[in-house]
Short mmCIF file of all heavy atoms in Angstrom, two decimals:
data_model
loop_
_atom_site.label_atom_id
_atom_site.label_comp_id
_atom_site.label_asym_id
_atom_site.label_seq_id
_atom_site.Cartn_x
_atom_site.Cartn_y
_atom_site.Cartn_z
N SER A 353 -11.85 2.02 9.34
CA SER A 353 -13.19 1.58 9.77
C SER A 353 -14.09 2.61 10.20
O SER A 353 -15.31 2.64 9.72
CB SER A 353 -13.00 0.49 10.92
OG SER A 353 -12.34 -0.64 10.54
N GLU A 354 -13.53 3.50 10.95
CA GLU A 354 -14.49 4.57 11.46
C GLU A 354 -14.98 5.46 10.34
O GLU A 354 -15.98 5.84 10.28
CB GLU A 354 -13.75 5.45 12.55
CG GLU A 354 -14.58 6.31 13.42
CD GLU A 354 -13.88 7.50 13.92
OE1 GLU A 354 -12.81 7.35 14.46
OE2 GLU A 354 -14.54 8.51 13.78
N LEU A 355 -14.07 5.86 9.43
CA LEU A 355 -14.28 6.66 8.27
C LEU A 355 -15.33 5.92 7.44
O LEU A 355 -16.39 6.63 7.14
CB LEU A 355 -13.00 6.77 7.40
CG LEU A 355 -13.28 7.40 6.04
CD1 LEU A 355 -13.83 8.87 6.08
CD2 LEU A 355 -12.12 7.53 5.16
N MET A 356 -15.26 4.67 7.19
CA MET A 356 -16.26 3.93 6.43
C MET A 356 -17.58 3.99 7.19
O MET A 356 -18.65 4.10 6.50
CB MET A 356 -15.86 2.56 6.31
CG MET A 356 -14.74 2.41 5.30
SD MET A 356 -15.00 3.03 3.71
CE MET A 356 -13.31 3.76 3.31
N GLU A 357 -17.54 3.86 8.49
CA GLU A 357 -18.88 3.74 9.25
C GLU A 357 -19.60 5.09 9.06
O GLU A 357 -20.79 5.20 8.86
CB GLU A 357 -18.49 3.49 10.76
CG GLU A 357 -18.69 2.04 11.22
CD GLU A 357 -18.25 1.72 12.52
OE1 GLU A 357 -18.54 2.65 13.43
OE2 GLU A 357 -17.46 0.81 12.67
N ARG A 358 -18.91 6.18 9.33
CA ARG A 358 -19.41 7.50 9.26
C ARG A 358 -19.96 7.78 7.89
O ARG A 358 -21.12 8.32 7.74
CB ARG A 358 -18.31 8.59 9.72
CG ARG A 358 -18.05 8.64 11.21
CD ARG A 358 -17.40 9.83 11.55
NE ARG A 358 -16.01 10.15 11.10
CZ ARG A 358 -15.52 11.21 10.84
NH1 ARG A 358 -16.13 12.28 11.22
NH2 ARG A 358 -14.21 11.24 10.51
N TRP A 359 -19.17 7.47 6.96
CA TRP A 359 -19.51 7.68 5.52
C TRP A 359 -20.98 6.93 5.19
O TRP A 359 -21.86 7.52 4.68
CB TRP A 359 -18.46 7.18 4.62
CG TRP A 359 -18.42 7.78 3.30
CD1 TRP A 359 -19.46 8.28 2.50
CD2 TRP A 359 -17.29 7.90 2.31
NE1 TRP A 359 -19.10 8.64 1.30
CE2 TRP A 359 -17.80 8.49 1.13
CE3 TRP A 359 -15.98 7.44 2.50
CZ2 TRP A 359 -16.92 8.60 -0.06
CZ3 TRP A 359 -15.15 7.72 1.36
CH2 TRP A 359 -15.61 8.33 0.13
N GLN A 360 -20.90 5.72 5.57
CA GLN A 360 -21.98 4.81 5.25
C GLN A 360 -23.26 5.36 6.07
O GLN A 360 -24.39 5.44 5.44
CB GLN A 360 -21.75 3.40 5.65
CG GLN A 360 -22.93 2.37 5.36
CD GLN A 360 -22.55 1.04 5.71
OE1 GLN A 360 -21.49 0.61 5.57
NE2 GLN A 360 -23.49 0.29 6.09
N ALA A 361 -23.02 5.84 7.31
CA ALA A 361 -24.24 6.29 7.94
C ALA A 361 -24.83 7.51 7.25
O ALA A 361 -26.07 7.69 7.33
CB ALA A 361 -23.62 6.77 9.43
N GLU A 362 -23.99 8.33 6.76
CA GLU A 362 -24.51 9.62 6.20
C GLU A 362 -25.21 9.21 4.81
O GLU A 362 -26.30 9.79 4.54
CB GLU A 362 -23.28 10.57 5.82
CG GLU A 362 -22.54 10.99 7.09
CD GLU A 362 -22.59 12.64 6.93
OE1 GLU A 362 -23.59 13.17 6.68
OE2 GLU A 362 -21.56 13.17 7.43
N ILE A 363 -24.69 8.23 4.14
CA ILE A 363 -25.53 7.79 2.98
C ILE A 363 -26.88 7.16 3.40
O ILE A 363 -27.87 7.45 2.79
CB ILE A 363 -24.70 6.76 2.19
CG1 ILE A 363 -23.38 7.38 1.71
CG2 ILE A 363 -25.55 6.21 0.89
CD1 ILE A 363 -22.41 6.54 0.94
N ALA A 364 -26.82 6.36 4.36
CA ALA A 364 -27.90 5.61 4.78
C ALA A 364 -29.04 6.65 5.20
O ALA A 364 -30.19 6.43 5.04
CB ALA A 364 -27.73 4.72 5.96
N ASP A 365 -28.53 7.76 5.90
CA ASP A 365 -29.48 8.76 6.34
C ASP A 365 -30.21 9.38 5.12
O ASP A 365 -31.33 9.72 5.12
CB ASP A 365 -28.77 10.01 7.02
CG ASP A 365 -28.47 9.50 8.52
OD1 ASP A 365 -29.14 8.63 9.01
OD2 ASP A 365 -27.71 10.31 9.31
N GLY A 366 -29.40 9.67 4.02
CA GLY A 366 -29.95 10.11 2.75
C GLY A 366 -31.11 9.14 2.19
O GLY A 366 -32.06 9.52 1.75
N VAL A 367 -30.71 7.90 2.28
CA VAL A 367 -31.70 6.83 1.92
C VAL A 367 -32.97 7.00 2.59
O VAL A 367 -34.07 6.99 2.10
CB VAL A 367 -31.09 5.52 1.81
CG1 VAL A 367 -32.13 4.41 1.44
CG2 VAL A 367 -29.97 5.26 0.99
N ARG A 368 -32.78 6.91 4.00
CA ARG A 368 -33.96 6.98 4.80
C ARG A 368 -34.80 8.32 4.57
O ARG A 368 -36.07 8.22 4.52
CB ARG A 368 -33.58 7.04 6.33
CG ARG A 368 -33.09 5.69 6.82
CD ARG A 368 -33.02 5.62 8.28
NE ARG A 368 -32.11 4.53 8.60
CZ ARG A 368 -30.69 4.60 8.63
NH1 ARG A 368 -30.21 5.77 8.68
NH2 ARG A 368 -30.08 3.52 8.98
N HIS A 369 -34.11 9.47 4.31
CA HIS A 369 -34.95 10.58 4.06
C HIS A 369 -35.77 10.50 2.79
O HIS A 369 -36.94 10.75 2.67
CB HIS A 369 -33.95 11.75 3.80
CG HIS A 369 -34.66 13.06 3.73
ND1 HIS A 369 -35.29 13.48 2.56
CD2 HIS A 369 -35.00 14.05 4.53
CE1 HIS A 369 -35.87 14.67 2.56
NE2 HIS A 369 -35.83 15.03 3.89
N MET A 370 -35.16 9.79 1.81
CA MET A 370 -35.92 9.49 0.55
C MET A 370 -36.99 8.50 0.75
O MET A 370 -38.03 8.73 0.07
CB MET A 370 -34.94 8.94 -0.52
CG MET A 370 -33.95 9.91 -1.06
SD MET A 370 -34.38 11.54 -1.49
CE MET A 370 -34.70 11.23 -3.18
N GLN A 371 -36.90 7.65 1.67
CA GLN A 371 -37.91 6.73 2.05
C GLN A 371 -39.10 7.54 2.69
O GLN A 371 -40.27 7.35 2.44
CB GLN A 371 -37.47 5.57 2.99
CG GLN A 371 -36.71 4.67 2.28
CD GLN A 371 -36.25 3.60 3.27
OE1 GLN A 371 -35.81 3.74 4.31
NE2 GLN A 371 -36.11 2.35 2.80
N ALA A 372 -38.62 8.44 3.60
CA ALA A 372 -39.63 9.26 4.41
C ALA A 372 -40.50 10.15 3.54
O ALA A 372 -41.75 10.41 3.67
CB ALA A 372 -38.86 10.19 5.34
N VAL A 373 -39.92 10.68 2.37
CA VAL A 373 -40.72 11.51 1.46
C VAL A 373 -41.27 10.75 0.39
O VAL A 373 -41.76 11.16 -0.64
CB VAL A 373 -39.81 12.69 0.84
CG1 VAL A 373 -39.40 13.57 1.92
CG2 VAL A 373 -38.73 12.03 -0.06
N GLY A 374 -41.12 9.33 0.52
CA GLY A 374 -41.90 8.55 -0.42
C GLY A 374 -41.31 8.35 -1.81
O GLY A 374 -41.96 7.86 -2.80
N GLU A 375 -40.11 8.59 -1.85
CA GLU A 375 -39.32 8.30 -3.22
C GLU A 375 -38.59 7.10 -3.31
O GLU A 375 -38.29 6.59 -4.33
CB GLU A 375 -38.33 9.50 -3.42
CG GLU A 375 -39.03 10.90 -3.64
CD GLU A 375 -39.51 10.98 -5.23
OE1 GLU A 375 -39.13 10.10 -5.94
OE2 GLU A 375 -40.33 11.80 -5.26
N VAL A 376 -38.47 6.28 -2.20
CA VAL A 376 -37.92 5.01 -2.16
C VAL A 376 -38.76 4.17 -1.28
O VAL A 376 -39.34 4.55 -0.24
CB VAL A 376 -36.43 5.15 -1.55
CG1 VAL A 376 -36.03 3.55 -1.37
CG2 VAL A 376 -35.58 5.78 -2.59
#
Side-chain angles (χ1 to χ4, degrees):
Chain A
S353 289
E354 198 208 313
L355 170 61
M356 292 302 145
E357 265 172 47
R358 287 198 288 154
W359 198 339
Q360 182 175 327
E362 296 237 39
I363 298 173
D365 279 348
V367 174
R368 281 193 205 90
H369 188 276
M370 296 306 275
Q371 287 178 324
V373 299
E375 287 284 340
V376 169

